[in-house]
Amino acid sequence: MEALSWGGIIAQLFLQFTPVWIALIATFAVSIVFKRNLGLYGKLFDSVIGMVGFAIVMFWVYTALFTGLFDMIATHDALSQVSGMKNKVPGTALRRPEDGQFAWYLLGGDNLARDVFSRVVKGSVVVIQIAPLATLFAFMVGITLGLPAGYYGGRLDTVLSFAANLILAFPVILLFYLLVTPEIVATGLPQYMAVVLFVFPLVFFAVLIHSRFRTQPGKNKLYLAVVLVPLALLYLSLINEAGSKIAFWPLDFFDVPGGILVVFVSVVFVNSPTVFRIVRGLAMDIKTRDYVAAAQTRGEGPWYIMLWEILPNARGPLIVDFCLRIGYTTILLGTLGFFGLGLPPESPDWGSTINEGRKLLSIYLHPALPPAFALLSLVLGLNLLADGLREESLRD
Amino acid sequence: MGLFILRRVGVMILTALCLTFLVFFLTNLYPNLEKLAKTEGNFRMSDAEVASWLEKGGYLQPLPVKYGEWLGVLPSYTHTAENGDVSGRCILPGMTAEDAPRYCGILQGHWGWSTVFKDEVGAIIGTRLGLTGKLMFWVMMLMVPSALLIGVLAGMREGSVTDRSLSTASIITTATPEYVSGVLFIAVFASSAVGLKWFKGTATSAMENANFENFFLPVLTIALYGMGYIARMTRASMAEVMTAQYIRTARLKGVSFPNIVMKHALRNALIAPFTVIMLQFPWLLNGVVIVETLFNYKGFGWTLVQAAGNNDIELLLGVSVVSVIVVLVTQLISDIGYVYLNPRISVT
């Protein structure tokens, strides 16, 4: 086999991403045709910046989906080493490709002779799995605490704000080092934090449903059961892990792979105070509006007002911040990987691969640059998407 | 105003106490202490030996007592061996138990002993902080003027081509974390693979004598990430000021555009960015840790990584005290400065 030229590499890369291109074109075609019926999401397709951002974000989402679920885009395994491919430049052909094995390392090999391209693509799975979900959890925590703090004010607000400022005044990297080291993980502290932090979605949904249907007991019980039972099972299996401090047998259906839970917890912990402050500010602003006064006069309970009157009206800034925050979480995950904290060292996530690649940076560029560009593009996409959303939501 | 500052200082001290207690708790968890005993004593200690080693060092007292001793508000722990020898935290080598002070915590200036660097924690933090101060000074010198310039230029005429391109540029810089931009800069400007070799890929020599060649890349890397955010804030506040009534009046009077920007708009437009710049310090601290690791510049951030990675408890505590105080003081300055700059906000 011949080594590929740069043109050949680009063509092959383009071909490898074929399913992503198809999915992207389909998404855009459908969205643009129906954009008048799709609310804020449809309006996104009126702004060029928003569309560019959305395209970049969806590119990585689809890449992660096709790689993680169908094992399509990656050309090799993220961990398998092929002899003779150590630090080889992009486009090098394998020495003796077996049948059905892809014949080139499209973006070269790293210092352990693994395929850089496949690692970047597999790394997107790790990032796309953790970042949005961790952000969502941070939002649940921030909303559940921020709404009462802003709505009631007073002593509750003072205490919660003080706690939030406490976490915000902490240098993030120091916190990561304190939470993620193996000794602390062995004490079970991150797990206890998980117990506290992951209960917030349960509380959130329980209060959300109960405050709405409290006068219709039949519906109330049904909806509560439908939502809470699966969530509670998920919660219990999430915090449960055999061989750790919290391990009770019957309710452990899946295990979170090594280190990911700890990383997840620390990222949620760092993000939630900022969300809390934003939600609190919005709640303080919105509670003076007339429709809140109307609901109070109607005799609605405080939680109904918070969750069904204030929260829907705060959605614009929250959605924008959600996009920005996913980007920030991605950066945090990269930071963790960069310092080799939490995730296992062979993990293909972008931060870890950048950290590995930087050690030989003065001689070989190709192992470090693709993950760097991948991370940069995803965060940039999210920022542009947030900008587009902000522009469109301010328009009306 | 005096009362406001006093109250803020009170809250600040409370926050600092809470945070240092938190760090103290996390670093003094038993597995950490066990590791400390094994690295300081020997690796094959049995559990009983570890316990007696810790007992001797006073590590097994209740947490609040240990914290009080470390802070210097409780008399320090002393251990009397069976042969009558007295040892303790305050009793330095070559000192008898009678001469040693009773209190020795950080309030007395006794920061402890670093097990990694084999030196006084206070001295280490002093020198490292000096090195990082040098880095931060140049970061500020580069970041603040250019961010304000970009923001003012972009916000001056909202929606113009200049505005569009500068805004996009600032979005790109905020989307590039230090470990990405640093790697890119080293790859392009310092590696032998591209061959430009304009700058050096490490800043180790910059600790002694910093020059453009070995210091520019780390400074640029930190500055760039913060720059975009400040520039966007400045742009937003500038754009808002430019639509104000008094600017329109000035225009109608026939004041030239540069004069409007320089004399009328700028002062009001710079209130919001001031707060943002001060609040950037915690983020800069993050950037400093990453960049000092990346460029091997042995400053404060590098020390943090070494202390945390090697379980150096007292150094880690010292580092966190300093960083927490830096963050809190900048928050205080930003609050006071905001009140001072903006006559519409009153503290009462």
Side-chain angles (χ1 to χ4, degrees), chain A residues 240 242 246-253:
Chain A
N240 241 327
I246 303 173
F248 38 97
W249 169 71
L251 292 170
D252 194 4
F253 299 111

Side-chain angles (χ1 to χ4, degrees), chain A residues 41-366:
Chain A
Y41 170 74
K43 277 199 207 130
L44 190 63
F45 293 86
D46 289 335
S47 109
V48 180
I49 287 187
M51 280 205 308
V52 172
F54 185 69
I56 299 175
V57 173
M58 287 319 285
F59 172 81
W60 285 115
V61 171
Y62 284 133
T63 305
L65 272 181
F66 287 120
T67 316
L69 294 181
F70 309 111
D71 199 15
M72 281 167 92
I73 292 155
T75 50
H76 296 83
D77 188 63
L79 295 178
S80 66
Q81 300 163 318
V82 176
S83 70
M85 297 308 284
K86 184 176 169 186
N87 290 328
K88 282 289 184 289
V89 292
T92 310
L94 296 188
R95 271 190 198 160
R96 279 179 294 278
E98 292 156 25
D99 280 346
Q101 197 178 15
F102 195 77
W104 296 280
Y105 268 14
L106 282 176
L107 293 177
D110 65 4
N111 64 337
L112 291 173
R114 298 170 297 195
D115 181 27
V116 172
F117 172 69
S118 305
R119 283 179 72 76
V120 170
V121 171
K122 296 244 161 111
S124 74
V125 182
V126 181
V127 175
I128 296 288
Q129 259 178 354
I130 301 181
L133 206 60
T135 315
L136 194 67
F137 271 84
F139 263 75
M140 293 281 178
V141 178
I143 289 172
T144 320
L145 294 176
L147 281 177
Y151 184 73
Y152 289 119
R155 199 160 292 161
L156 178 77
D157 181 28
T158 315
V159 172
L160 286 176
S161 295
F162 181 74
N165 287 338
L166 216 62
I167 303 171
L168 284 177
F170 218 88
V172 177
I173 291 179
L174 183 61
L175 196 70
F176 282 157
Y177 260 110
L178 291 176
L179 283 180
V180 182
T181 45
E183 286 79 32
I184 304 233
V185 173
T187 61
L189 185 81
Q191 255 187 321
Y192 295 124
M193 285 171 64
V195 171
V196 176
L197 288 176
F198 293 164
V199 91
F200 279 99
L202 280 167
V203 175
F204 176 79
F205 281 110
V207 177
L208 186 75
I209 295 168
H210 182 75
S211 63
R212 178 81 193 230
F213 296 105
R214 137 183 92 91
T215 46
Q216 298 151 280
K219 263 190 185 170
N220 192 7
K221 271 178 202 146
L222 177 72
Y223 288 147
L224 277 176
V226 168
V227 174
L228 287 187
V229 170
L231 273 183
L233 286 178
L234 264 177
Y235 169 72
L236 286 172
S237 12
L238 201 61
I239 58 167
N240 241 327
E241 202 176 319
S244 69
K245 290 270 174 185
I246 303 173
F248 38 97
W249 169 71
L251 292 170
D252 194 4
F253 299 111
F254 58 88
D255 274 328
V256 186
I260 287 195
L261 185 76
V262 182
V263 169
F264 199 87
V265 169
S266 36
V267 172
V268 172
F269 186 68
V270 169
N271 266 322
S272 34
T274 329
V275 182
F276 165 83
R277 293 234 295 213
I278 294 166
V279 175
R280 173 180 166 268
L282 287 169
M284 281 165 84
D285 176 26
I286 294 176
K287 78 173 175 187
T288 56
R289 304 284 168 87
D290 287 343
Y291 49 81
V292 174
Q296 281 164 343
T297 322
R298 275 204 314 271
E300 304 283 6
W303 280 103
Y304 178 87
I305 295 174
M306 280 183 240
L307 289 171
W308 291 95
E309 300 282 350
I310 293 179
L311 190 58
N313 286 296
R315 68 182 185 282
L318 285 185
I319 292 172
V320 172
D321 187 69
F322 188 71
C323 290
L324 284 178
R325 202 146 293 282
I326 297 176
Y328 180 61
T329 313
T330 313
I331 292 180
L332 277 184
L333 282 176
T335 313
L336 277 170
F338 182 78
F339 285 106
L341 294 168
L343 296 164
E346 73 275 11
S347 150
D349 75 291
W350 296 335
S352 310
T353 29
I354 292 173
N355 183 33
E356 252 169 62
R358 80 180 166 96
K359 289 166 189 158
L360 289 171
L361 201 58
S362 57
I363 320 164
Y364 303 110
L365 301 181
H366 59 271

Side-chain angles (χ1 to χ4, degrees), chain A residues 28-44:
Chain A
F28 267 75
V30 171
S31 308
I32 290 176
V33 169
F34 295 106
K35 74 176 172 186
R36 292 286 156 248
N37 318 337
L38 288 170
L40 183 63
Y41 170 74
K43 277 199 207 130
L44 190 63

Side-chain angles (χ1 to χ4, degrees), chain B residues 78-287:
Chain B
T78 51
H79 177 82
T80 315
E82 280 162 21
N83 58 7
D85 283 352
V86 180
S87 61
R89 234 177 84 91
C90 296
I91 306 165
L92 298 171
M95 202 188 258
T96 57
E98 290 75 40
D99 296 341
R102 282 189 69 219
Y103 297 90
C104 57
I106 53 166
L107 291 178
Q108 284 81 20
H110 184 104
W111 290 65
W113 181 260
S114 158
T115 53
V116 176
F117 296 101
K118 309 287 178 215
D119 199 358
E120 289 274 340
V121 169
I124 297 172
I125 289 182
T127 45
R128 302 300 177 187
L129 212 52
L131 287 171
T132 298
K134 191 163 81 175
L135 182 63
M136 293 290 258
F137 173 74
W138 287 109
V139 168
M140 285 293 173
M141 291 301 281
L142 178 67
M143 182 174 78
V144 175
S146 28
L148 293 181
L149 189 68
I150 292 174
V152 168
L153 283 179
M156 218 160 58
R157 290 201 176 87
E158 206 185 349
S160 64
V161 182
T162 329
D163 177 25
R164 288 274 165 198
S165 42
L166 286 178
S167 298
T168 314
S170 20
I171 291 182
I172 293 176
T173 66
T174 42
T176 320
E178 291 92 348
Y179 51 89
V180 169
S181 51
V183 162
L184 292 184
F185 286 144
I186 296 180
V188 175
F189 295 119
S191 74
S192 50
V194 172
L196 285 178
K197 295 208 144 191
W198 290 352
F199 302 106
K200 288 207 172 110
T202 75
T204 318
S205 55
M207 293 191 296
E208 302 290 309
N209 64 355
N211 54 32
F212 190 65
E213 196 192 10
N214 58 21
F215 212 42
F216 183 65
L217 281 189
V219 169
L220 182 67
T221 309
I222 304 181
L224 215 53
Y225 186 50
M227 202 191 292
Y229 189 60
I230 301 179
R232 293 182 77 181
M233 283 293 162
T234 318
R235 177 192 169 273
S237 117
M238 186 72 189
E240 198 190 317
V241 169
M242 288 305 277
T243 58
Q245 295 289 329
Y246 70 92
I247 297 288
R248 206 179 62 168
T249 314
R251 278 200 129 162
L252 292 176
K253 276 198 311 193
V255 183
S256 70
F257 191 73
N259 255 335
I260 291 179
V261 173
M262 296 301 287
K263 289 190 179 152
H264 297 255
L266 213 53
R267 216 193 128 172
N268 279 311
L270 291 185
I271 294 173
F274 170 78
T275 344
V276 177
I277 291 169
M278 292 319 277
L279 291 178
Q280 281 281 307
F281 267 96
W283 303 117
L284 284 180
L285 206 65
N286 261 339

Side-chain angles (χ1 to χ4, degrees), chain B residues 312-335:
Chain B
D312 190 343
I313 295 178
E314 301 213 305
L315 183 58
L316 193 55
L317 280 167
V319 168
S320 44
V321 170
V322 173
S323 47
V324 162
I325 287 176
V326 167
V327 171
L328 292 175
V329 167
T330 51
Q331 277 179 359
L332 185 70
I333 295 176
S334 103
D335 279 7

